Amino acid sequence: MSEAAQKPRMPDETGVPDPFPYMHPVMKKNYGQWDYHFRPRPGVLCHVAKSGDKIWTVRAGTQRQMDVFTIRKLCDLADKYCDGYLRFTTRSNIEFLLDKEENVEPLIEELNKEGFPVGGTGNSVSMVSHTQGWLHCDIPGTDASGVVKSLMDLMYEEFINEEMPNRVRITSSCCQINCGGQGDIAVNVQYTKPPRINHELVANVCERPAVVARCPVAAIRPALVNGKPSLEVDEKKCVCCGACYAPCPPMQINGKEETRIAVWVGGKHSNARSKPRFHKLVVAGLPNNPPRWPEVGEVVMKILRAYKENAKDWERIGDWIERIGWPRFFELIDVPFVKHHIDTWTYARLTHNHSTHIQY
């Protein structure tokens, strides 16, 4: 390890840290001078510089919440095969950077032996990008890490192979207001009922002005209940977002009936071949059913199978749906179309005029 890498990095409030002290020497030497890249096999990238230098990237799937033992094991593999150069991706994959081609296959064999699948490149299902839930959040409806583990067990073959029409990006979040992102498939927790208030505890635990201010739709106001200061909720205004729970735990939002899971499709950040787009609802009200969430897994796998069998090469899920239309999409995945799928918000006419199946 270089002297610069060993020296602790001081806080920098002007942006991201300088990457060069931690960069592989081949990448540093050829910075901005790369000619092309290709994929020798799923999970492996080879970048070729104009100078002729090559660097191989081996991508393996990992769990997001790691113990020290696992991190040390991965670092030992990096020291053994690639001089300690590795990096974590935003999707909790780990990438080993090698300048010796003869080390690629031995590294893959050892990763597989230790239980780390190699894949997630090209037209495959990459690791689910997800939030941490119970580990760090103040209003989680469930632990997204558990949902992700269950889904990736089902999608293991699609991670280690490149057999999809195009890449598939899946996201998951632990609630419907704080986290999550646009994805080809998005699995998000939703709260379905206003909070249940324990009036005996509100005055002892909550700063009521902070709770009132936290509500995005002004549905909470101070109240006296049984002669004690408390809060009340205007249920006609409440959007069941769960924001009130963080500053006031007696306003309980989690429960078997209150917490559900919704699946969305068609989101896209990139502008490759088509413009970015928001995802749209497919299924709502799925049970939050740990530890395996079978109902969620069933819906996601239906979508993936229909996409794999019917989409054209290079079509993302949203592009495929736009081509065949939403009625046909719901037929293919065998999911009923209900009134909750209809966009009825203030600017719905504009949204409808942008869709493939309603024009007026």
Side-chain angles (χ1 to χ4, degrees), residues 49-246:
K50 294 178 180 178
S51 65
D53 291 341
K54 296 180 180 179
I55 187 166
W56 286 264
T57 302
V58 176
R59 178 181 294 177
T62 69
Q63 67 271 34
R64 183 164 184 179
Q65 297 172 4
M66 286 194 190
D67 57 278
V68 175
F69 174 79
T70 302
I71 294 173
R72 286 175 175 167
K73 182 186 296 184
L74 292 168
C75 290
D76 288 342
L77 291 175
D79 288 337
K80 183 177 179 180
Y81 292 105
C82 52
D83 301 319
Y85 287 97
L86 56 80
R87 63 189 178 192
F88 285 93
T89 73
T90 57
R91 291 182 172 270
S92 306
N93 298 311
I94 188 168
E95 294 185 343
F96 297 84
L97 307 170
L98 306 88
D99 55 7
K100 298 181 179 66
E101 185 177 6
E102 60 270 20
N103 285 345
V104 173
E105 285 303 324
L107 173 59
I108 293 174
E109 290 178 10
E110 195 152 349
L111 283 168
N112 288 331
K113 180 181 176 182
E114 295 292 346
F116 300 102
V118 174
T121 56
N123 52 321
S124 67
V125 176
S126 189
M127 174 69 176
V128 180
S129 175
H130 66 98
T131 53
Q132 294 292 79
W134 293 326
L135 187 65
H136 77 179
C137 186
D138 56 3
I139 58 169
T142 190
D143 188 24
S145 302
V147 181
V148 170
K149 161 64 176 169
S150 302
L151 288 176
M152 291 308 297
D153 283 348
L154 296 173
M155 299 184 295
Y156 174 82
E157 293 295 329
E158 304 301 345
F159 178 82
I160 64 173
N161 296 303
E162 296 179 352
E163 297 176 347
M164 285 289 169
N166 201 341
R167 67 189 63 185
V168 178
R169 297 291 183 256
I170 301 178
T171 67
S172 179
S173 70
C174 311
C175 77
Q176 59 190 359
I177 63 165
N178 271 6
C179 299
Q182 302 302 315
D184 295 297
I185 302 174
V187 180
N188 297 325
V189 169
Q190 55 181 180
Y191 301 118
T192 61
K193 297 181 184 298
R196 290 174 282 109
I197 306 175
N198 186 334
H199 297 287
E200 295 296 320
L201 296 178
V202 168
N204 298 332
V205 176
C206 310
E207 293 184 8
R208 294 190 299 158
V211 184
V212 172
R214 180 84 178 247
C215 181
V217 292
I220 302 174
R221 52 181 175 255
L224 281 175
V225 179
N226 298 325
K228 293 184 177 181
S230 187
L231 296 162
E232 64 181 7
V233 177
D234 184 344
E235 296 190 0
K236 292 182 179 179
K237 289 184 177 180
C238 180
V239 293
C240 308
C241 67
C244 56
Y245 175 72

